[in-house]
Amino acid sequence: MTTFQSLELNGAVLRGVERAGYSEPTPIQAKLIPQVMAGRDCIGLSQTGSGKTGAFILPILHKIAEEEQSAGPGHCCGLVVAPTRELAMQIVDNARALSKFSMAKIALLIGGTGYGPQINAMKRGADLVIATPGRLIDHLDSGYLSLHRTHVIVLDEADQMMDMGFLPSMRKVMQAMPEKRQTLLLTATMPKPIRKLASDFLRKPVEIETSPQSKPVERIEQHVFTIKSRDRRRALLALVEQYGINRGIVFTRTKRTADSLEKLLRQAGIKALALHGDKSKGERNRALTAFKKAEVPLLVATDIAARGIDVDSVGHVINYEMPHVAESYVHRVGRTARAGKEGVALSLCAPAEQPLLKDIQRLTGLKLPMQQLRLDGAELPDKDASPVAVDAEGAGRQEKRLNRKRGKAGAPAQGAADRPRDGVRPPKKSAWNPIRARVEVPDSADLTAPDLSKPLKKKKKSGTRKPKVGNHRKGQPRSTGLSEAKAGRTPGRKPPRNGSSGNPSGGKMRHEARAKRDSQGRAKGPGEAAA
Ligand code: AMP
């Protein structure tokens, strides 16, 4: 039998494993760790909840612990790319716990948080960087991070990154890596574009599959209930009641449905919180914490929002609607039965959704017979019924009130149109944002930073635009926007930093000029203070 000791991991890493309470390696860990330690490129086909994070993090931590030199400022030894912020945060938590004694320097680069601390971390250099694609590319483009000394890269949940439109970003990141490197690709499913990516970037990879591809873990009890579309809301209440669900995730296809179900459940007296990309980072963290602490029994989540949910004892998953993409079914039901526990997946399927069910059966190789659901006694609550309160939300409201008092949120609430879909608030006008992130989020990308690999749409040139009064510095001519238009740039938009602008040092030069200006007494905006 394989034990962690027999894998010959570095002693300090082994102590981290013991502290994490892992008594023996999971099957994917037992197979993948020796291959990664031998320096091979690997494809890990593994289900969510199988312990795949440990399978790639442990050998990387081992190498970092054995190495004498760090990568140095602006560099990292190892890089993990994950599709969502939640998943990236979960990987960081895991890596920090496992490296408690080996003390690797770990940095997290994700969207939705300030650039300042991330830039500072990059300036110091990191042993291991864990990032979402959009923010990673921001840092690469700005020159704050270089991958020239990175010798191992992990593309985690590569199939999900592809679903979210990050395939071009993955290719861009791979192209920024040195020729001599080790590449690990982890995926739950192996669609053609991922196989192509693997054949383009991996060298003679070992393929490791611990359970049949796309097959949800055997321990999950799966039921599909035939319903009429109009009965769907009642059917949800019936399922919660009949299965006595006290730790479950309800999946919806849209954020709007997630919000409306949160309201329905709470009007029916069941504490629930919605989790999707229109929620702020704070709201999402509070919802996850409340769920982890069992303060709310139900989360209502969209697919992408749920990707990073790693709660060991989720007993039930409900597919309120059948997912449009069969792979999503595998990911959804994989939220339960984690770390060796039991789980139940319940799906509501209207007649129009039967082709989707067929796709799922084809993909998983499972026969999922249709069952009838008893709806008697499941009545919808009164439309005006007041929803049951949830503490986590109260805390959020209180925070907002406090912010308003401090004058931070005094402005009217952001409307749906100007609120970015990934929950990233636009930088305040007065704040200096050192990287000028371009926020263009792919439709499906609820939670992570945008794909920046595509060119921006050019704004209309407006050579006649009047400069704003007071928007120039003393002793310098006012900008009319004309010179910028002539130079082929969009007035007001700064050129990208090195690379695409044709001015490789542009970003740093601007940074230095700004620093000089600051030292000459210009008042700092809040963003600058942070950076
Ligand atoms: P993952 O598939 O990496 O998301 O891991 C799923 C869960 O299994 C996480 O909560 C891990 O902490 C846990 N886990 C990972 N490896 C082991 C192990 N060897 N023994 C027990 N639990 C583990």
Side-chain angles (χ1 to χ4, degrees):
M1 193 187 80
T2 314
T3 62
F4 281 113
Q5 283 74 17
S6 69
L7 291 171
E8 297 184 359
L9 287 165
N10 171 280
V13 177
L14 268 181
R15 283 179 68 200
V17 170
E18 271 167 40
R19 173 63 72 94
Y22 299 176
S23 51
E24 63 186 67
T26 63
I28 181 86
Q29 290 167 355
K31 286 189 182 170
L32 200 70
I33 291 173
Q35 299 292 350
V36 182
M37 282 173 70
R40 302 280 310 262
D41 280 4
C42 299
I43 298 175
L45 269 156
S46 194
Q47 296 164 358
T48 49
S50 59
K52 66 183 165 64
T53 313
F56 61 78
I57 284 290
L58 285 169
I60 294 177
L61 291 178
H62 166 86
K63 283 191 181 172
I64 291 170
E66 302 269 301
E67 249 158 36
E68 274 158 24
Q69 276 193 335
S70 66
H75 293 85
C76 62
C77 303
L79 171 67
V80 179
V81 190
T84 64
R85 293 172 197 166
E86 275 72 10
L87 181 61
M89 289 195 285
Q90 188 186 305
I91 297 170
V92 163
D93 287 349
N94 227 314
R96 290 208 170 118
L98 294 169
S99 66
K100 187 173 167 57
F101 302 100
S102 57
M103 295 194 290
K105 265 200 279 176
I106 300 171
L108 175 67
L109 305 182
I110 55 171
T113 55
Y115 283 89
Q118 297 179 4
I119 290 172
N120 287 339
M122 289 306 94
K123 282 182 183 164
R124 288 191 296 271
D127 293 314
L128 180 60
V129 164
I130 293 156
T132 46
R135 185 60 69 97
L136 173 64
I137 285 174
D138 278 356
H139 285 281
L140 293 177
D141 283 350
S142 67
Y144 286 110
L145 174 65
S146 156
L147 301 181
H148 290 133
R149 296 185 202 154
T150 309
H151 47 72
V152 55
I153 178 166
V154 182
L155 299 174
D156 193 17
E157 307 218 340
D159 52 346
Q160 179 70 3
M161 285 205 262
M162 191 200 66
D163 287 350
M164 292 170 71
F166 285 128
L167 201 57
S169 307
M170 281 193 275
R171 289 185 168 275
K172 189 169 175 180
V173 172
M174 290 308 298
Q175 271 147 6
M177 287 286 294
E179 272 289 299
K180 197 167 170 288
R181 57 158 191 261
Q182 184 179 21
T183 308
L184 314 176
L185 189 142
L186 278 295
T187 182
T189 55
M190 199 66 180
K192 267 192 196 152
I194 295 295
R195 197 160 279 289
K196 171 88 176 73
L197 182 84
S199 75
D200 288 351
F201 292 106
L202 276 69
R203 275 174 225 110
K204 296 186 188 157
V206 209
E207 203 165 310
I208 290 163
E209 192 176 346
T210 46
S211 46
Q213 191 182 343
S214 311
K215 204 168 169 191
V217 274
E218 268 79 30
R219 288 188 307 279
I220 303 177
E221 186 187 316
Q222 294 168 67
H223 300 279
V224 180
F225 297 99
T226 171
I227 49 145
K228 293 190 183 106
S229 251
R230 64 167 186 270
D231 289 334
R232 216 184 278 273
R233 287 160 73 83
R234 283 173 65 215
L236 172 66
L237 296 178
L239 286 179
V240 176
E241 164 79 23
Q242 287 169 27
Y243 282 83
I245 299 177
N246 56 19
R247 188 76 78 97
I249 304 174
V250 180
F251 281 95
T252 63
R253 283 202 291 251
T254 68
K255 300 165 197 171
R256 238 176 106 182
T257 312
D259 282 336
S260 88
L261 292 188
E262 180 199 88
K263 186 172 171 207
L264 169 76
L265 288 160
R266 287 168 60 177
Q267 283 183 322
I270 302 158
K271 284 185 178 179
L273 282 171
L275 186 77
H276 56 66
D278 277 352
K279 299 273 176 188
S280 71
K281 188 163 175 276
E283 285 170 324
R284 294 202 308 264
N285 282 345
R286 277 192 295 277
L288 270 176
T289 308
F291 184 61
K292 280 184 183 165
K293 287 185 176 167
E295 288 165 9
V296 288
L298 282 180
L299 274 186
V300 188
T302 53
D303 282 305
I304 288 159
R307 255 302 172 114
I309 302 175
D310 177 25
V311 181
D312 278 352
S313 45
V314 174
H316 295 80
V317 160
I318 299 180
N319 290 310
Y320 179 74
E321 294 145 327
M322 300 306 281
H324 275 310
V325 183
E327 276 87 357
S328 294
Y329 178 85
V330 180
H331 294 306
R332 286 179 177 190
V333 304
R335 296 297 110 196
T336 181
R338 290 173 82 78
K341 304 222 166 58
E342 302 285 310
V344 180
L346 309 165
S347 303
L348 297 176
C349 183
E353 293 170 300
Q354 293 214 1
L356 300 175
L357 178 65
K358 285 213 178 91
D359 286 348
I360 292 165
Q361 296 186 335
R362 213 171 300 128
L363 179 80
T364 60
L366 295 175
K367 189 146 175 47
L368 300 167
M370 301 285 271
Q371 294 171 239
Q372 291 295 327
L373 180 67
R374 282 188 354 259
L375 285 180
D376 40 303
E379 290 311 322
L380 291 176
D382 195 277
K383 260 199 247 152
D384 302 322
S386 44
V388 64
V390 172
D391 290 346
E393 201 192 42
R397 269 202 301 268
Q398 203 178 351
E399 199 173 291
K400 269 188 200 156
R401 259 202 311 274
L402 274 171
N403 280 342
R404 216 171 295 136
K405 264 194 185 167
R406 292 184 202 123
K408 282 186 186 169
Q414 278 182 312
D418 61 357
R419 183 170 179 171
R421 276 172 297 176
D422 70 345
V424 182
R425 287 174 198 288
K428 279 183 197 162
K429 290 234 167 76
S430 61
W432 173 52
N433 178 347
I435 293 189
R436 279 281 150 144
R438 293 169 286 177
V439 180
E440 273 183 6
V441 185
D443 261 359
S444 57
D446 272 352
L447 290 178
T448 194
D451 176 0
L452 303 184
S453 60
K454 290 179 197 131
L456 275 175
K457 274 185 209 155
K458 274 201 171 177
K459 274 189 196 165
K460 264 191 186 169
K461 284 182 185 173
S462 58
T464 53
R465 199 183 68 165
K466 268 193 175 177
K468 277 187 195 161
V469 178
N471 208 13
H472 75 299
R473 270 181 293 124
K474 252 187 177 175
Q476 288 197 357
R478 286 176 189 272
S479 161
T480 57
L482 271 171
S483 56
E484 288 165 305
K486 268 189 206 154
R489 278 193 264 124
T490 309
R493 184 188 290 286
K494 290 180 180 175
R497 296 198 168 198
N498 55 9
S500 55
S501 69
N503 174 10
S505 57
K508 275 193 179 144
M509 280 161 57
R510 211 171 29 255
H511 189 167
E512 278 156 19
R514 195 181 288 275
K516 204 168 159 191
R517 236 167 40 229
D518 287 342
S519 67
Q520 286 165 356
R522 191 172 68 88
K524 282 183 181 181
E528 288 165 283

